Every structure is written in structure tokens, then in C-alpha cells.
Short mmCIF file of all heavy atoms in Angstrom, two decimals:
data_model
loop_
_atom_site.label_atom_id
_atom_site.label_comp_id
_atom_site.label_asym_id
_atom_site.label_seq_id
_atom_site.Cartn_x
_atom_site.Cartn_y
_atom_site.Cartn_z
N PHE D 19 39.65 12.99 7.49
CA PHE D 19 38.63 12.25 8.21
C PHE D 19 38.47 12.78 9.63
O PHE D 19 37.36 13.00 10.09
CB PHE D 19 38.97 10.75 8.22
CG PHE D 19 37.99 9.93 9.01
CD1 PHE D 19 36.73 9.67 8.51
CD2 PHE D 19 38.32 9.42 10.25
CE1 PHE D 19 35.81 8.91 9.22
CE2 PHE D 19 37.42 8.66 10.98
CZ PHE D 19 36.16 8.41 10.46
N SER D 20 39.58 12.96 10.29
CA SER D 20 39.54 13.47 11.65
C SER D 20 40.87 14.10 11.98
O SER D 20 41.91 13.72 11.46
CB SER D 20 39.20 12.37 12.65
OG SER D 20 40.21 11.38 12.69
N ILE D 21 40.82 15.07 12.88
CA ILE D 21 42.02 15.72 13.38
C ILE D 21 42.11 15.49 14.87
O ILE D 21 41.15 15.73 15.60
CB ILE D 21 42.01 17.23 13.09
CG1 ILE D 21 42.02 17.48 11.58
CG2 ILE D 21 43.21 17.91 13.75
CD1 ILE D 21 41.93 18.95 11.21
N ASN D 22 43.24 15.02 15.31
CA ASN D 22 43.46 14.82 16.73
C ASN D 22 44.11 16.08 17.31
O ASN D 22 43.43 17.01 17.73
CB ASN D 22 44.31 13.58 16.97
CG ASN D 22 44.55 13.32 18.44
OD1 ASN D 22 45.63 12.88 18.82
ND2 ASN D 22 43.57 13.59 19.29
N THR D 23 45.41 16.10 17.29
CA THR D 23 46.14 17.21 17.88
C THR D 23 46.51 18.24 16.83
O THR D 23 46.93 17.90 15.72
CB THR D 23 47.41 16.72 18.57
OG1 THR D 23 47.06 15.76 19.58
CG2 THR D 23 48.15 17.87 19.24
N MET D 24 46.37 19.50 17.18
CA MET D 24 46.87 20.60 16.38
C MET D 24 47.82 21.39 17.27
O MET D 24 47.57 21.53 18.47
CB MET D 24 45.74 21.50 15.88
CG MET D 24 44.65 20.77 15.12
SD MET D 24 43.36 21.86 14.46
CE MET D 24 44.22 22.55 13.03
N GLY D 25 48.88 21.87 16.69
CA GLY D 25 49.82 22.58 17.52
C GLY D 25 50.81 23.42 16.76
O GLY D 25 50.80 23.48 15.53
N TRP D 26 51.64 24.05 17.55
CA TRP D 26 52.68 24.91 17.02
C TRP D 26 54.02 24.52 17.63
O TRP D 26 54.12 24.26 18.84
CB TRP D 26 52.40 26.38 17.33
CG TRP D 26 51.21 26.92 16.63
CD1 TRP D 26 49.92 26.95 17.06
CD2 TRP D 26 51.20 27.52 15.33
NE1 TRP D 26 49.10 27.52 16.13
CE2 TRP D 26 49.86 27.89 15.06
CE3 TRP D 26 52.18 27.79 14.38
CZ2 TRP D 26 49.49 28.50 13.86
CZ3 TRP D 26 51.81 28.40 13.19
CH2 TRP D 26 50.48 28.75 12.94
N TYR D 27 55.02 24.49 16.79
CA TYR D 27 56.39 24.28 17.19
C TYR D 27 57.21 25.44 16.66
O TYR D 27 56.78 26.15 15.75
CB TYR D 27 56.92 22.96 16.63
CG TYR D 27 56.24 21.73 17.21
CD1 TYR D 27 54.93 21.41 16.86
CD2 TYR D 27 56.91 20.89 18.10
CE1 TYR D 27 54.29 20.30 17.38
CE2 TYR D 27 56.28 19.77 18.63
CZ TYR D 27 54.99 19.48 18.26
OH TYR D 27 54.36 18.37 18.79
N ARG D 28 58.38 25.61 17.22
CA ARG D 28 59.23 26.68 16.72
C ARG D 28 60.69 26.26 16.74
O ARG D 28 61.09 25.38 17.50
CB ARG D 28 59.05 27.97 17.54
CG ARG D 28 59.57 27.89 18.97
CD ARG D 28 59.22 29.17 19.72
NE ARG D 28 59.73 29.15 21.09
CZ ARG D 28 59.46 30.07 21.99
NH1 ARG D 28 58.67 31.10 21.68
NH2 ARG D 28 59.97 29.98 23.22
N GLN D 29 61.45 26.89 15.89
CA GLN D 29 62.87 26.63 15.82
C GLN D 29 63.60 27.96 15.70
O GLN D 29 63.45 28.67 14.71
CB GLN D 29 63.22 25.73 14.64
CG GLN D 29 64.66 25.27 14.62
CD GLN D 29 64.89 24.13 13.66
OE1 GLN D 29 64.09 23.89 12.76
NE2 GLN D 29 65.99 23.42 13.85
N ALA D 30 64.35 28.27 16.72
CA ALA D 30 65.14 29.49 16.74
C ALA D 30 66.49 29.22 16.09
O ALA D 30 66.94 28.07 16.00
CB ALA D 30 65.34 29.97 18.18
N PRO D 31 67.16 30.27 15.63
CA PRO D 31 68.46 30.09 15.00
C PRO D 31 69.43 29.35 15.92
O PRO D 31 69.61 29.71 17.08
CB PRO D 31 68.93 31.52 14.75
CG PRO D 31 67.67 32.30 14.61
CD PRO D 31 66.73 31.68 15.60
N GLY D 32 70.03 28.29 15.41
CA GLY D 32 71.00 27.53 16.16
C GLY D 32 70.43 26.61 17.22
O GLY D 32 71.19 26.01 17.98
N LYS D 33 69.12 26.48 17.27
CA LYS D 33 68.48 25.65 18.28
C LYS D 33 67.62 24.57 17.64
O LYS D 33 67.28 24.63 16.46
CB LYS D 33 67.63 26.49 19.23
CG LYS D 33 68.41 27.54 20.01
CD LYS D 33 67.52 28.29 20.98
CE LYS D 33 67.01 27.39 22.09
NZ LYS D 33 66.20 28.14 23.08
N GLU D 34 67.27 23.59 18.44
CA GLU D 34 66.41 22.52 17.98
C GLU D 34 64.95 22.96 17.98
O GLU D 34 64.56 23.87 18.71
CB GLU D 34 66.57 21.29 18.86
CG GLU D 34 68.00 20.79 18.99
CD GLU D 34 68.16 19.38 18.49
OE1 GLU D 34 67.18 18.61 18.51
OE2 GLU D 34 69.27 19.03 18.07
N ARG D 35 64.17 22.30 17.15
CA ARG D 35 62.75 22.59 17.13
C ARG D 35 62.12 22.16 18.45
O ARG D 35 62.42 21.09 18.97
CB ARG D 35 62.08 21.87 15.96
CG ARG D 35 60.62 22.22 15.78
CD ARG D 35 60.02 21.56 14.54
NE ARG D 35 60.71 21.96 13.32
CZ ARG D 35 60.30 21.64 12.10
NH1 ARG D 35 59.19 20.92 11.94
NH2 ARG D 35 60.99 22.04 11.05
N GLU D 36 61.26 23.00 18.97
CA GLU D 36 60.64 22.71 20.25
C GLU D 36 59.13 22.94 20.19
O GLU D 36 58.64 23.73 19.39
CB GLU D 36 61.23 23.60 21.35
CG GLU D 36 60.97 25.08 21.16
CD GLU D 36 61.50 25.93 22.30
OE1 GLU D 36 61.95 25.37 23.32
OE2 GLU D 36 61.46 27.18 22.18
N LEU D 37 58.44 22.24 21.04
CA LEU D 37 57.00 22.41 21.14
C LEU D 37 56.68 23.75 21.78
O LEU D 37 57.30 24.15 22.76
CB LEU D 37 56.40 21.27 21.97
CG LEU D 37 54.88 21.26 22.15
CD1 LEU D 37 54.36 19.84 22.23
CD2 LEU D 37 54.47 22.01 23.42
N VAL D 38 55.70 24.43 21.21
CA VAL D 38 55.22 25.68 21.78
C VAL D 38 53.88 25.45 22.47
O VAL D 38 53.72 25.77 23.65
CB VAL D 38 55.07 26.77 20.71
CG1 VAL D 38 54.49 28.05 21.32
CG2 VAL D 38 56.41 27.05 20.04
N ALA D 39 52.93 24.91 21.74
CA ALA D 39 51.61 24.67 22.30
C ALA D 39 50.87 23.66 21.44
O ALA D 39 51.06 23.61 20.23
CB ALA D 39 50.79 25.97 22.39
N THR D 40 50.02 22.88 22.08
CA THR D 40 49.18 21.94 21.36
C THR D 40 47.77 21.98 21.92
O THR D 40 47.55 22.37 23.07
CB THR D 40 49.70 20.49 21.44
OG1 THR D 40 49.74 20.07 22.80
CG2 THR D 40 51.09 20.38 20.82
N THR D 41 46.84 21.56 21.11
CA THR D 41 45.46 21.42 21.55
C THR D 41 44.86 20.18 20.92
O THR D 41 45.06 19.90 19.74
CB THR D 41 44.63 22.68 21.21
OG1 THR D 41 43.28 22.49 21.64
CG2 THR D 41 44.64 22.96 19.71
N THR D 42 44.14 19.42 21.71
CA THR D 42 43.53 18.20 21.24
C THR D 42 42.12 18.47 20.72
O THR D 42 41.57 19.56 20.90
CB THR D 42 43.46 17.14 22.34
OG1 THR D 42 42.51 17.56 23.34
CG2 THR D 42 44.82 16.95 23.00
N SER D 43 41.55 17.46 20.10
CA SER D 43 40.19 17.60 19.60
C SER D 43 39.19 17.83 20.72
O SER D 43 38.13 18.41 20.49
CB SER D 43 39.79 16.36 18.79
OG SER D 43 39.87 15.19 19.59
N GLY D 44 39.54 17.38 21.92
CA GLY D 44 38.68 17.58 23.07
C GLY D 44 38.88 18.90 23.77
O GLY D 44 38.18 19.20 24.74
N GLY D 45 39.83 19.69 23.30
CA GLY D 45 40.03 21.01 23.86
C GLY D 45 41.13 21.13 24.88
O GLY D 45 41.39 22.24 25.39
N SER D 46 41.79 20.03 25.21
CA SER D 46 42.90 20.11 26.14
C SER D 46 44.07 20.85 25.51
O SER D 46 44.31 20.73 24.31
CB SER D 46 43.35 18.72 26.57
OG SER D 46 42.31 18.04 27.26
N THR D 47 44.79 21.60 26.31
CA THR D 47 45.92 22.37 25.80
C THR D 47 47.17 22.06 26.59
O THR D 47 47.12 21.66 27.75
CB THR D 47 45.64 23.88 25.86
OG1 THR D 47 45.35 24.26 27.21
CG2 THR D 47 44.46 24.25 24.97
N ASN D 48 48.28 22.27 25.94
CA ASN D 48 49.58 22.07 26.56
C ASN D 48 50.51 23.16 26.05
O ASN D 48 50.53 23.44 24.84
CB ASN D 48 50.13 20.68 26.22
CG ASN D 48 51.45 20.41 26.89
OD1 ASN D 48 51.59 20.61 28.09
ND2 ASN D 48 52.42 19.92 26.13
N TYR D 49 51.27 23.75 26.95
CA TYR D 49 52.16 24.84 26.60
C TYR D 49 53.56 24.58 27.11
O TYR D 49 53.74 24.00 28.19
CB TYR D 49 51.68 26.16 27.20
CG TYR D 49 50.35 26.65 26.68
CD1 TYR D 49 49.17 26.32 27.33
CD2 TYR D 49 50.28 27.46 25.55
CE1 TYR D 49 47.95 26.77 26.87
CE2 TYR D 49 49.07 27.92 25.09
CZ TYR D 49 47.90 27.57 25.75
OH TYR D 49 46.69 28.03 25.28
N ALA D 50 54.51 25.06 26.36
CA ALA D 50 55.87 25.09 26.86
C ALA D 50 55.94 26.07 28.02
O ALA D 50 55.24 27.09 28.04
CB ALA D 50 56.84 25.52 25.76
N ASP D 51 56.78 25.75 28.99
CA ASP D 51 56.89 26.62 30.16
C ASP D 51 57.26 28.05 29.78
O ASP D 51 56.82 29.01 30.41
CB ASP D 51 57.93 26.07 31.13
CG ASP D 51 57.46 24.82 31.85
OD1 ASP D 51 56.24 24.58 31.90
OD2 ASP D 51 58.31 24.09 32.37
N SER D 52 58.04 28.19 28.74
CA SER D 52 58.53 29.50 28.35
C SER D 52 57.45 30.42 27.79
O SER D 52 57.66 31.64 27.71
CB SER D 52 59.65 29.36 27.31
OG SER D 52 59.18 28.68 26.16
N VAL D 53 56.29 29.87 27.43
CA VAL D 53 55.24 30.70 26.84
C VAL D 53 53.97 30.73 27.67
O VAL D 53 53.03 31.45 27.31
CB VAL D 53 54.91 30.25 25.40
CG1 VAL D 53 56.17 30.21 24.55
CG2 VAL D 53 54.20 28.90 25.39
N LYS D 54 53.93 29.98 28.74
CA LYS D 54 52.74 29.94 29.58
C LYS D 54 52.40 31.34 30.08
O LYS D 54 53.26 32.08 30.55
CB LYS D 54 52.94 29.00 30.76
CG LYS D 54 52.88 27.54 30.39
CD LYS D 54 53.07 26.64 31.61
CE LYS D 54 52.99 25.18 31.23
NZ LYS D 54 53.22 24.30 32.40
N GLY D 55 51.13 31.68 29.98
CA GLY D 55 50.67 32.98 30.41
C GLY D 55 50.79 34.05 29.36
O GLY D 55 50.22 35.15 29.53
N ARG D 56 51.51 33.78 28.28
CA ARG D 56 51.69 34.76 27.23
C ARG D 56 51.06 34.33 25.91
O ARG D 56 50.58 35.17 25.15
CB ARG D 56 53.18 35.03 27.00
CG ARG D 56 53.90 35.58 28.23
CD ARG D 56 55.32 36.01 27.88
NE ARG D 56 56.14 34.88 27.42
CZ ARG D 56 56.69 34.80 26.21
NH1 ARG D 56 56.53 35.79 25.34
NH2 ARG D 56 57.43 33.75 25.89
N PHE D 57 51.09 33.04 25.64
CA PHE D 57 50.54 32.51 24.39
C PHE D 57 49.25 31.75 24.67
O PHE D 57 49.10 31.12 25.73
CB PHE D 57 51.52 31.54 23.73
CG PHE D 57 52.77 32.18 23.17
CD1 PHE D 57 53.10 33.50 23.44
CD2 PHE D 57 53.61 31.44 22.35
CE1 PHE D 57 54.25 34.08 22.92
CE2 PHE D 57 54.76 32.01 21.82
CZ PHE D 57 55.08 33.32 22.11
N THR D 58 48.35 31.79 23.72
CA THR D 58 47.10 31.06 23.82
C THR D 58 46.82 30.35 22.51
O THR D 58 46.80 30.98 21.45
CB THR D 58 45.92 31.99 24.15
OG1 THR D 58 46.19 32.71 25.36
CG2 THR D 58 44.64 31.18 24.33
N ILE D 59 46.63 29.05 22.59
CA ILE D 59 46.30 28.28 21.41
C ILE D 59 44.80 28.03 21.39
O ILE D 59 44.18 27.80 22.43
CB ILE D 59 47.09 26.95 21.35
CG1 ILE D 59 46.90 26.26 20.00
CG2 ILE D 59 46.70 26.02 22.50
CD1 ILE D 59 47.86 25.10 19.77
N SER D 60 44.22 28.08 20.22
CA SER D 60 42.80 27.82 20.06
C SER D 60 42.56 27.21 18.69
O SER D 60 43.44 27.23 17.83
CB SER D 60 41.97 29.10 20.25
OG SER D 60 42.32 30.07 19.28
N ARG D 61 41.38 26.69 18.50
CA ARG D 61 41.07 26.07 17.22
C ARG D 61 39.63 26.33 16.83
O ARG D 61 38.75 26.47 17.68
CB ARG D 61 41.36 24.57 17.25
CG ARG D 61 40.54 23.80 18.27
CD ARG D 61 41.13 22.42 18.52
NE ARG D 61 40.98 21.51 17.40
CZ ARG D 61 41.57 20.33 17.29
NH1 ARG D 61 42.39 19.92 18.25
NH2 ARG D 61 41.36 19.56 16.23
N ASP D 62 39.41 26.39 15.54
CA ASP D 62 38.09 26.49 14.97
C ASP D 62 37.89 25.22 14.16
O ASP D 62 38.38 25.10 13.04
CB ASP D 62 37.96 27.73 14.09
CG ASP D 62 36.56 27.94 13.56
OD1 ASP D 62 35.78 26.97 13.47
OD2 ASP D 62 36.23 29.09 13.22
N ASN D 63 37.19 24.28 14.74
CA ASN D 63 37.05 22.98 14.10
C ASN D 63 36.27 23.05 12.78
O ASN D 63 36.53 22.28 11.86
CB ASN D 63 36.36 22.00 15.05
CG ASN D 63 37.25 21.62 16.23
OD1 ASN D 63 38.46 21.50 16.09
ND2 ASN D 63 36.64 21.43 17.39
N ALA D 64 35.33 23.97 12.70
CA ALA D 64 34.55 24.11 11.48
C ALA D 64 35.42 24.55 10.31
O ALA D 64 35.12 24.25 9.15
CB ALA D 64 33.41 25.09 11.68
N LYS D 65 36.50 25.26 10.61
CA LYS D 65 37.40 25.75 9.58
C LYS D 65 38.71 24.98 9.52
O LYS D 65 39.58 25.32 8.72
CB LYS D 65 37.70 27.23 9.80
CG LYS D 65 36.49 28.13 9.71
CD LYS D 65 36.87 29.58 9.94
CE LYS D 65 35.66 30.49 9.82
NZ LYS D 65 36.02 31.92 10.05
N ASN D 66 38.84 23.96 10.36
CA ASN D 66 40.08 23.19 10.43
C ASN D 66 41.28 24.12 10.60
O ASN D 66 42.31 23.98 9.94
CB ASN D 66 40.27 22.31 9.20
CG ASN D 66 39.37 21.09 9.22
OD1 ASN D 66 38.84 20.69 10.26
ND2 ASN D 66 39.20 20.47 8.06
#
């Protein structure tokens, strides 16, 4: 029906799962400090 947040998380060996980046339906983005400037999240709403 609708999608709010889409995002990526990661889990390294021996570590807990952590947030990498998220994007809301309105286009707002959030990044982990460790990936800022290097990773870019985007979405194609027509293709979900």
C-alpha cells in the first residue's frame, strides 16, 4: 500500500547489525557517520 522508510543495514563479522543509511518517502536521508561522504542512498519509487 505504501512504503515509508527504505534503508540499508550491515553486520560485520563479530559485530552487531548497524544502520548504514535510510531514506524516507519524502526523500530525507540519514547516514551512519562512518559512511558519510562515501555512500549514497537513493530510491526509485516507481520500481519500489
Side-chain angles (χ1 to χ4, degrees):
F19 177 74
S20 64
I21 297 176
N22 181 216
T23 302
M24 305 183 77
W26 293 91
Y27 294 72
R28 69 185 181 187
Q29 188 166 18
K33 299 183 66 177
E34 305 240 334
R35 186 176 300 187
E36 64 177 353
L37 182 147
V38 177
T40 60
T41 179
T42 69
S43 59
S46 297
T47 58
N48 182 49
Y49 296 92
D51 288 340
S52 60
V53 307
K54 286 181 179 178
R56 300 188 298 118
F57 291 11
T58 303
I59 189 169
S60 61
R61 62 196 290 170
D62 185 337
N63 290 324
K65 297 180 179 180
N66 285 342

